[in-house]
Short mmCIF file of all heavy atoms in Angstrom, two decimals:
data_model
loop_
_atom_site.label_atom_id
_atom_site.label_comp_id
_atom_site.label_asym_id
_atom_site.label_seq_id
_atom_site.Cartn_x
_atom_site.Cartn_y
_atom_site.Cartn_z
N THR A 1 79.62 79.96 85.11
CA THR A 1 79.86 80.59 83.80
C THR A 1 79.29 82.00 83.75
O THR A 1 79.93 82.94 83.30
CB THR A 1 79.25 79.76 82.68
OG1 THR A 1 79.77 78.43 82.69
CG2 THR A 1 79.56 80.38 81.34
N ALA A 2 78.06 82.16 84.29
CA ALA A 2 77.40 83.45 84.35
C ALA A 2 78.21 84.39 85.32
O ALA A 2 78.36 85.58 85.01
CB ALA A 2 75.98 83.34 84.80
N LEU A 3 78.63 83.80 86.40
CA LEU A 3 79.39 84.57 87.39
C LEU A 3 80.71 85.08 86.76
O LEU A 3 81.06 86.32 86.88
CB LEU A 3 79.76 83.69 88.58
CG LEU A 3 80.84 84.18 89.58
CD1 LEU A 3 80.33 85.45 90.28
CD2 LEU A 3 81.23 83.07 90.52
N ALA A 4 81.43 84.28 86.09
CA ALA A 4 82.73 84.65 85.49
C ALA A 4 82.52 85.76 84.43
O ALA A 4 83.32 86.71 84.33
CB ALA A 4 83.40 83.46 84.84
N ARG A 5 81.43 85.68 83.69
CA ARG A 5 81.18 86.72 82.62
C ARG A 5 81.02 88.10 83.27
O ARG A 5 81.56 89.07 82.82
CB ARG A 5 79.92 86.30 81.86
CG ARG A 5 79.64 87.19 80.70
CD ARG A 5 78.40 86.79 79.90
NE ARG A 5 78.64 85.48 79.32
CZ ARG A 5 77.90 84.36 79.66
NH1 ARG A 5 76.96 84.43 80.56
NH2 ARG A 5 78.15 83.20 79.07
N ILE A 6 80.20 88.14 84.36
CA ILE A 6 80.00 89.45 85.03
C ILE A 6 81.27 89.87 85.76
O ILE A 6 81.60 91.14 85.73
CB ILE A 6 78.84 89.28 86.07
CG1 ILE A 6 77.53 88.92 85.36
CG2 ILE A 6 78.64 90.61 86.75
CD1 ILE A 6 77.08 89.90 84.33
N MET A 7 81.98 88.98 86.36
CA MET A 7 83.24 89.37 86.98
C MET A 7 84.20 89.97 86.00
O MET A 7 84.89 91.00 86.27
CB MET A 7 83.81 88.18 87.71
CG MET A 7 83.10 87.73 88.98
SD MET A 7 83.88 86.28 89.75
CE MET A 7 85.46 86.99 90.23
N LYS A 8 84.39 89.35 84.86
CA LYS A 8 85.29 89.86 83.84
C LYS A 8 84.84 91.26 83.29
O LYS A 8 85.64 92.17 83.16
CB LYS A 8 85.32 88.89 82.67
CG LYS A 8 86.03 87.60 82.97
CD LYS A 8 85.93 86.63 81.75
CE LYS A 8 86.61 85.33 82.11
NZ LYS A 8 86.46 84.36 80.99
N LYS A 9 83.49 91.44 83.19
CA LYS A 9 83.01 92.73 82.75
C LYS A 9 83.37 93.77 83.76
O LYS A 9 83.74 94.88 83.37
CB LYS A 9 81.50 92.59 82.53
CG LYS A 9 80.79 93.90 81.98
CD LYS A 9 79.35 93.62 81.70
CE LYS A 9 78.69 94.81 81.05
NZ LYS A 9 78.65 96.01 81.94
N ARG A 10 83.07 93.50 84.99
CA ARG A 10 83.38 94.48 86.06
C ARG A 10 84.87 94.81 86.21
O ARG A 10 85.26 95.91 86.48
CB ARG A 10 82.81 94.03 87.40
CG ARG A 10 81.32 93.86 87.50
CD ARG A 10 80.55 95.11 87.01
NE ARG A 10 81.07 96.35 87.65
CZ ARG A 10 80.66 96.85 88.78
NH1 ARG A 10 79.68 96.19 89.47
NH2 ARG A 10 81.16 97.95 89.29
N ARG A 11 85.65 93.77 85.98
CA ARG A 11 87.15 93.94 85.99
C ARG A 11 87.57 94.88 84.86
O ARG A 11 88.42 95.72 85.03
CB ARG A 11 87.86 92.66 85.93
CG ARG A 11 89.36 92.76 86.04
CD ARG A 11 90.06 91.45 85.89
NE ARG A 11 89.79 90.82 84.56
CZ ARG A 11 90.41 89.73 84.10
NH1 ARG A 11 91.32 89.14 84.87
NH2 ARG A 11 90.10 89.27 82.93
N ASP A 12 86.99 94.66 83.69
CA ASP A 12 87.35 95.50 82.50
C ASP A 12 86.88 96.96 82.74
O ASP A 12 87.43 97.84 82.15
CB ASP A 12 86.62 94.96 81.31
CG ASP A 12 87.17 93.63 80.84
OD1 ASP A 12 88.35 93.29 81.29
OD2 ASP A 12 86.51 92.91 80.07
N GLU A 13 85.90 97.18 83.58
CA GLU A 13 85.37 98.46 83.98
C GLU A 13 86.23 99.14 84.97
O GLU A 13 86.02 100.28 85.43
CB GLU A 13 83.93 98.44 84.36
CG GLU A 13 83.00 98.02 83.26
CD GLU A 13 81.55 97.79 83.75
OE1 GLU A 13 81.44 97.70 84.97
OE2 GLU A 13 80.67 97.63 82.97
N GLY A 14 87.23 98.42 85.56
CA GLY A 14 88.13 98.95 86.55
C GLY A 14 88.00 98.51 87.93
O GLY A 14 88.64 99.00 88.82
N LYS A 15 87.02 97.62 88.16
CA LYS A 15 86.78 97.12 89.53
C LYS A 15 87.69 95.95 89.87
O LYS A 15 87.83 94.96 89.17
CB LYS A 15 85.35 96.68 89.69
CG LYS A 15 84.93 96.21 91.03
CD LYS A 15 85.10 97.28 92.12
CE LYS A 15 84.11 98.40 91.92
NZ LYS A 15 84.20 99.42 92.99
N SER A 16 88.48 96.10 90.97
CA SER A 16 89.40 95.07 91.33
C SER A 16 88.70 93.84 91.85
O SER A 16 87.68 93.91 92.55
CB SER A 16 90.35 95.66 92.45
OG SER A 16 91.14 94.65 93.03
N LEU A 17 89.29 92.66 91.52
CA LEU A 17 88.73 91.47 92.10
C LEU A 17 88.83 91.37 93.61
O LEU A 17 88.06 90.69 94.26
CB LEU A 17 89.45 90.21 91.50
CG LEU A 17 89.30 90.02 89.98
CD1 LEU A 17 90.07 88.71 89.59
CD2 LEU A 17 87.84 89.86 89.58
N ASP A 18 89.79 92.16 94.20
CA ASP A 18 89.86 92.15 95.66
C ASP A 18 88.72 92.85 96.30
O ASP A 18 88.57 92.82 97.51
CB ASP A 18 91.15 92.86 96.04
CG ASP A 18 92.41 92.03 95.74
OD1 ASP A 18 92.25 90.77 95.64
OD2 ASP A 18 93.49 92.63 95.56
N GLN A 19 87.88 93.56 95.55
CA GLN A 19 86.67 94.24 96.07
C GLN A 19 85.42 93.43 95.76
O GLN A 19 84.32 94.03 95.60
CB GLN A 19 86.61 95.68 95.59
CG GLN A 19 87.57 96.61 96.28
CD GLN A 19 87.23 96.60 97.77
OE1 GLN A 19 86.11 96.66 98.18
NE2 GLN A 19 88.29 96.60 98.59
N MET A 20 85.59 92.13 95.45
CA MET A 20 84.41 91.21 95.15
C MET A 20 84.34 90.09 96.13
O MET A 20 85.36 89.51 96.47
CB MET A 20 84.53 90.72 93.74
CG MET A 20 84.58 91.80 92.68
SD MET A 20 84.63 91.05 91.03
CE MET A 20 85.01 92.53 90.02
N PHE A 21 83.13 89.74 96.55
CA PHE A 21 82.81 88.53 97.30
C PHE A 21 81.94 87.66 96.52
O PHE A 21 81.04 88.16 95.83
CB PHE A 21 82.15 88.83 98.64
CG PHE A 21 83.10 89.41 99.72
CD1 PHE A 21 82.54 90.09 100.80
CD2 PHE A 21 84.44 89.13 99.63
CE1 PHE A 21 83.35 90.63 101.82
CE2 PHE A 21 85.31 89.72 100.67
CZ PHE A 21 84.67 90.43 101.76
N VAL A 22 82.08 86.37 96.61
CA VAL A 22 81.26 85.40 95.95
C VAL A 22 80.71 84.49 97.09
O VAL A 22 81.52 83.74 97.70
CB VAL A 22 81.91 84.54 94.90
CG1 VAL A 22 80.97 83.57 94.27
CG2 VAL A 22 82.52 85.43 93.80
N ILE A 23 79.43 84.47 97.31
CA ILE A 23 78.89 83.72 98.54
C ILE A 23 77.72 82.92 98.09
O ILE A 23 77.02 83.17 97.08
CB ILE A 23 78.48 84.67 99.69
CG1 ILE A 23 77.47 85.74 99.14
CG2 ILE A 23 79.73 85.49 100.12
CD1 ILE A 23 77.02 86.69 100.24
N SER A 24 77.42 81.96 98.86
CA SER A 24 76.29 81.02 98.64
C SER A 24 75.76 80.44 99.88
O SER A 24 76.50 80.38 100.90
CB SER A 24 76.73 79.84 97.68
OG SER A 24 75.64 78.90 97.55
N PRO A 25 74.46 80.08 99.96
CA PRO A 25 74.02 79.41 101.21
C PRO A 25 74.56 78.05 101.40
O PRO A 25 74.44 77.53 102.54
CB PRO A 25 72.49 79.37 100.92
CG PRO A 25 72.19 80.31 99.83
CD PRO A 25 73.46 80.29 99.00
N PHE A 26 75.14 77.45 100.36
CA PHE A 26 75.44 76.03 100.39
C PHE A 26 76.91 75.73 100.24
O PHE A 26 77.58 76.27 99.31
CB PHE A 26 74.67 75.27 99.31
CG PHE A 26 73.19 75.55 99.32
CD1 PHE A 26 72.61 76.41 98.30
CD2 PHE A 26 72.34 75.06 100.34
CE1 PHE A 26 71.22 76.62 98.36
CE2 PHE A 26 70.97 75.27 100.32
CZ PHE A 26 70.44 76.08 99.41
N ARG A 27 77.46 74.84 101.07
CA ARG A 27 78.85 74.43 101.01
C ARG A 27 79.09 73.74 99.60
O ARG A 27 80.21 73.92 99.07
CB ARG A 27 79.12 73.50 102.15
CG ARG A 27 80.50 72.79 102.10
CD ARG A 27 81.68 73.73 101.95
NE ARG A 27 81.72 74.79 102.97
CZ ARG A 27 82.62 75.73 103.00
NH1 ARG A 27 83.45 75.87 101.97
NH2 ARG A 27 82.61 76.62 103.96
N ALA A 28 78.23 72.97 99.16
CA ALA A 28 78.42 72.25 97.85
C ALA A 28 78.61 73.30 96.71
O ALA A 28 79.43 73.04 95.82
CB ALA A 28 77.28 71.30 97.51
N VAL A 29 77.86 74.36 96.74
CA VAL A 29 78.00 75.41 95.72
C VAL A 29 79.36 76.07 95.90
O VAL A 29 80.00 76.36 94.82
CB VAL A 29 76.84 76.38 95.78
CG1 VAL A 29 77.00 77.52 94.84
CG2 VAL A 29 75.51 75.75 95.56
N VAL A 30 79.77 76.37 97.06
CA VAL A 30 81.04 77.01 97.34
C VAL A 30 82.17 76.13 96.78
O VAL A 30 83.10 76.59 96.10
CB VAL A 30 81.27 77.35 98.83
CG1 VAL A 30 82.71 77.72 99.08
CG2 VAL A 30 80.27 78.39 99.24
N ASN A 31 82.07 74.86 97.03
CA ASN A 31 83.07 73.90 96.55
C ASN A 31 83.14 73.89 95.02
O ASN A 31 84.19 73.87 94.40
CB ASN A 31 82.90 72.51 97.11
CG ASN A 31 83.11 72.41 98.63
OD1 ASN A 31 83.79 73.25 99.18
ND2 ASN A 31 82.51 71.41 99.23
N GLY A 32 81.95 73.91 94.40
CA GLY A 32 81.84 73.91 92.93
C GLY A 32 82.45 75.14 92.39
O GLY A 32 83.17 75.16 91.27
N ILE A 33 82.19 76.26 93.01
CA ILE A 33 82.72 77.51 92.47
C ILE A 33 84.22 77.59 92.60
O ILE A 33 84.96 77.96 91.69
CB ILE A 33 82.13 78.70 93.28
CG1 ILE A 33 80.68 78.90 93.01
CG2 ILE A 33 82.84 80.05 92.93
CD1 ILE A 33 79.94 79.84 93.95
N THR A 34 84.72 77.01 93.74
CA THR A 34 86.15 77.04 93.92
C THR A 34 86.92 76.18 92.87
O THR A 34 88.00 76.50 92.44
CB THR A 34 86.52 76.46 95.31
OG1 THR A 34 85.86 77.26 96.36
CG2 THR A 34 87.96 76.40 95.64
N ASN A 35 86.28 75.06 92.47
CA ASN A 35 86.89 74.23 91.48
C ASN A 35 86.72 74.73 90.07
O ASN A 35 87.65 74.62 89.26
CB ASN A 35 86.27 72.75 91.58
CG ASN A 35 86.62 72.11 92.88
OD1 ASN A 35 87.64 72.30 93.35
ND2 ASN A 35 85.73 71.26 93.29
N LYS A 36 85.65 75.38 89.73
CA LYS A 36 85.35 75.71 88.38
C LYS A 36 85.75 77.16 87.98
O LYS A 36 86.16 77.41 86.81
CB LYS A 36 83.81 75.53 88.06
CG LYS A 36 83.39 75.82 86.64
CD LYS A 36 81.95 75.51 86.38
CE LYS A 36 81.49 75.92 85.02
NZ LYS A 36 82.32 75.31 83.92
N LEU A 37 85.62 78.13 88.96
CA LEU A 37 85.89 79.48 88.55
C LEU A 37 87.27 79.71 88.02
O LEU A 37 87.40 80.51 86.99
CB LEU A 37 85.65 80.40 89.83
CG LEU A 37 85.64 81.91 89.54
CD1 LEU A 37 84.64 82.31 88.56
CD2 LEU A 37 85.43 82.67 90.87
N PRO A 38 88.38 79.22 88.60
CA PRO A 38 89.70 79.46 88.01
C PRO A 38 89.77 79.07 86.49
O PRO A 38 90.54 79.67 85.70
CB PRO A 38 90.61 78.68 88.84
CG PRO A 38 89.95 78.49 90.18
CD PRO A 38 88.46 78.37 89.82
N LYS A 39 89.04 77.99 86.10
CA LYS A 39 89.04 77.52 84.74
C LYS A 39 88.39 78.46 83.82
O LYS A 39 88.61 78.43 82.62
CB LYS A 39 88.42 76.14 84.70
CG LYS A 39 89.09 75.14 85.53
CD LYS A 39 88.34 73.78 85.57
CE LYS A 39 88.99 72.81 86.56
NZ LYS A 39 88.14 71.53 86.71
#
């Protein structure tokens, strides 16, 4: 939820999502982001 808020703010400022990476040390976190972020 915090990630999406910042991503939307940066997008509104003109930064393309194609110039963003979302990374984590943990596979479980990556899977959770993949499932939840589109929503």
Side-chain angles (χ1 to χ4, degrees):
T1 302
L3 166 67
R5 185 179 298 118
I6 299 298
M7 289 180 64
K8 291 176 183 178
K9 183 175 185 295
R10 295 308 311 272
R11 185 184 59 171
D12 293 342
E13 295 171 348
K15 182 62 67 176
S16 168
L17 293 181
D18 288 336
Q19 283 301 317
M20 300 182 189
F21 284 160
V22 181
I23 59 181
S24 174
F26 307 106
R27 171 55 56 186
V29 175
V30 170
N31 292 339
I33 294 169
T34 301
N35 292 329
K36 183 174 173 56
L37 187 60
K39 301 172 185 176

